[in-house]
């Protein structure tokens, strides 16, 4: 093993690391917004709404991210919609993340005892007030560990964006690898980059889970 | 611009052959990673043997906290630097099994930990040997208790095989990519493949539910 090339390419790694962080954060932000909305709709009283959202969630939870990436990346131009690579990537990650976060949100909402809804109703709160003031903040607390767990997954899954040519850590590292001809060491550094974000987060998740179990 | 939704149907034999490779790969990766994960879980639970414990812990943490894609590249492109040449399938399998075994070890370790200590002691009193206690008493309960997580991870293994397409393993996603580059009927092909994956995972989950009912339903009622 030989890491003597690393100082020369350190800056490139740093830059690439931030590109990955940027993509992951964007995907997490938009995915959460979509997912929470879809998750709330999944608990809707109206069957039609539930049905439509259910189809979306099932489809995107039931197929690999890579196929979804290919479908949008190759498929959209094929039907005449031309959007940039950045847009495509963020769109796919949003749809993918949204589907999973919708399920997490739904199960969180359903974990709240029915009595709370009834109590809120008898206090004269309407649906939105109940959801906003009573249910959702409790849901957030319940869903938090699974949510962070999924965010870790999103950070790691963002590596797949390199396959359609989105310039992030893995994509940039291929360039570096071609220049240094040191794939073994390069991928150790790349792995380390992911590890230093994901490891503390997964420790956080297990800490929260342990604490809530102890209660 | 027109869409030809029959196109994937014309190429059904190729796609199904790809799906078969996906299923075989998933099944093999699932079995290997489950058993390896179980071994890891035992080591992690007992914190013994002393030499293995830190190695296994480090292995599990590293593989759980880095992307599968990077692990596959590391194995496929990195190992030849030391003269270890692996075929795409071998490298893919190795990466997938190592990745999934790490997840299984955490799932199963949690399961083992939640079994009350009294059960170990009771089984000890009955004169069962350590391996017997584990295989007859502890393991079945762990599998029952962690069944949803086990099936969940199994679905992730099926999805994980799609990443092997990047190493040019001829599974479903790769077959679809090849068809796509020959015909540019992207929307039709990938929509069809998405549904195919959905079908495969739904089928796998149905089989799991059947197994669960068959093996554990009577026993869970008692609780």
């Amino acid at each position: 093993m030989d890491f003597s090339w690393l100082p020369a390419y350190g800056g490139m790694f740093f830059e690439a690391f931030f590109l990955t962080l940027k993509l992951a954060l964007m995907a997490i932000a938009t995915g959460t917004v979509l997912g929470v909305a879809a998750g709330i709709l999944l608990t809707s009283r109206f069957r039609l709404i539930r049905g439509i959202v259910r189809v979306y969630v099932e489809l995107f939870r039931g197929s690999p991210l890579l196929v979804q990436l290919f479908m949008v990346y190759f498929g959209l131009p094929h039907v005449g919609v031309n959007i940039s690579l950045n847009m495509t990537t963020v769109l796919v990650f949003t749809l993918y993340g949204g589907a999973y976060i919708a399920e997490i949100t739904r199960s969180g909402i359903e974990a709240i005892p029915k009595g709370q809804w009834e109590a809120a109703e008898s206090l004269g709160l309407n649906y939105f007030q109940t959801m906003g003031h009573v249910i959702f903040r409790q849901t957030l607390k319940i869903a938090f560990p699974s949510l962070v767990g999924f965010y870790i997954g999103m950070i790691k899954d963002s590596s797949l964006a390199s396959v359609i040519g989105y310039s992030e850590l893995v994509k940039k590292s291929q360039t570096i690898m071609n220049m240094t001809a040191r794939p073994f060491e390069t991928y150790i550094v790349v792995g380390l980059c992911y590890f230093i974000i994901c490891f503390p987060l997964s420790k956080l998740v297990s800490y929260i889970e342990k604490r809530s179990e102890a209660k | 611009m027109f869409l030809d939704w029959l196109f994937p149907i014309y190429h059904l034999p190729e796609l199904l052959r790809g799906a078969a490779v996906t299923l075989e790969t998933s099944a093999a990766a699932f079995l290997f990673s489950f058993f390896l994960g179980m071994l890891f879980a035992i080591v992690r639970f007992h914190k013994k043997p002393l030499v293995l414990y830190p190695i296994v812990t480090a292995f599990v943490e590293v593989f759980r906290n880095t992307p599968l894609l990077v692990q596959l590249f590391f194995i496929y492109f990195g190992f030849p630097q030391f003269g270890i040449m692996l075929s795409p399938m071998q490298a893919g399998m190795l990466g997938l099994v190592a990745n999934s075994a790490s997840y299984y070890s955490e799932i199963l370790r949690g399961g083992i930990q939640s079994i009350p200590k009294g059960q170990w002691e009771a089984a000890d009193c009955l004169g069962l040997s350590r391996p017997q206690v584990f295989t007859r008493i502890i393991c079945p309960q762990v599998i029952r208790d962690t069944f949803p997580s086990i099936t969940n991870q199994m679905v992730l293994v099926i999805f994980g095989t799609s990443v092997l397409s990047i190493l040019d393993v001829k599974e479903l996603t790769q077959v679809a990519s090849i068809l796509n580059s020959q015909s540019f009927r992207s929307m039709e092909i990938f929509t069809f493949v998405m549904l195919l994956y959905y079908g495969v995972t739904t089928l796998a989950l149905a089989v799991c539910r059947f197994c669960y009912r068959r093996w554990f339903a009577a026993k869970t009622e008692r609780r």
Side-chain angles (χ1 to χ4, degrees), chain A residues 139-209:
Chain A
T139 302
L140 216 56
K141 206 171 161 192
I142 296 172
F144 190 70
S146 357
L147 212 52
V148 178
F150 182 69
Y151 289 162
I152 298 169
M154 282 276 256
I155 295 168
K156 289 185 288 177
D157 285 336
S158 72
S159 64
L160 285 179
S162 66
V163 177
I164 58 167
Y166 185 93
S167 156
E168 42 72 81
L169 189 49
V170 175
K171 185 81 195 161
K172 290 265 182 188
S173 72
Q174 280 161 353
T175 320
I176 296 172
M177 195 186 81
N178 287 340
M179 290 190 280
T180 59
R182 288 255 156 227
F184 193 81
E185 291 87 341
T186 308
Y187 285 118
I188 286 181
V189 178
V190 173
L192 205 66
C193 288
Y194 285 101
F195 189 79
I196 54 171
I197 333 173
C198 295
F199 183 66
L201 284 176
S202 27
K203 283 287 151 205
L204 176 73
V205 173
S206 46
Y207 171 72
I208 297 169
E209 274 172 352

Side-chain angles (χ1 to χ4, degrees), chain B residues 93-163:
Chain B
M93 259 322 227
L94 199 62
L96 202 55
V97 168
N99 180 281
S100 170
S102 307
Y103 283 96
Y104 273 127
S105 96
E106 283 303 277
I107 293 168
L108 296 170
R109 186 180 63 123
I112 299 174
Q113 262 167 357
S114 65
I115 304 286
K117 239 189 138 124
Q119 300 227 3
W120 290 89
E121 291 160 3
D124 229 23
C125 288
L126 289 174
L128 298 180
S129 69
R130 261 298 158 100
Q132 274 177 330
V133 178
F134 192 79
T135 53
R136 305 275 169 95
I137 314 278
I138 305 298
C139 192
Q141 297 189 69
V142 169
I143 294 176
R144 181 196 63 198
D145 294 346
T146 57
F147 208 81
S149 314
I150 293 174
T151 52
N152 232 354
Q153 177 58 28
M154 197 186 72
V155 171
L156 290 182
V157 170
I158 298 176
F159 292 169
T161 58
S162 77
V163 181

Side-chain angles (χ1 to χ4, degrees), chain B residues 4 7 19 24 26 28 54-56 59-60 79 95 119 126 140 148 162 167 170-172 180-182 186 207 215 223:
Chain B
D4 179 11
F7 182 82
E24 285 163 17
S26 312
I55 300 175
V56 169
F59 183 91
V60 168
F79 280 15
Q119 300 227 3
L126 289 174
S162 77
L167 303 184
K170 300 275 183 299
E171 46 67 76
L172 187 50
N180 174 48
S181 55
Q182 286 167 352
S186 320
V207 171
W215 296 338
R223 298 219 300 174

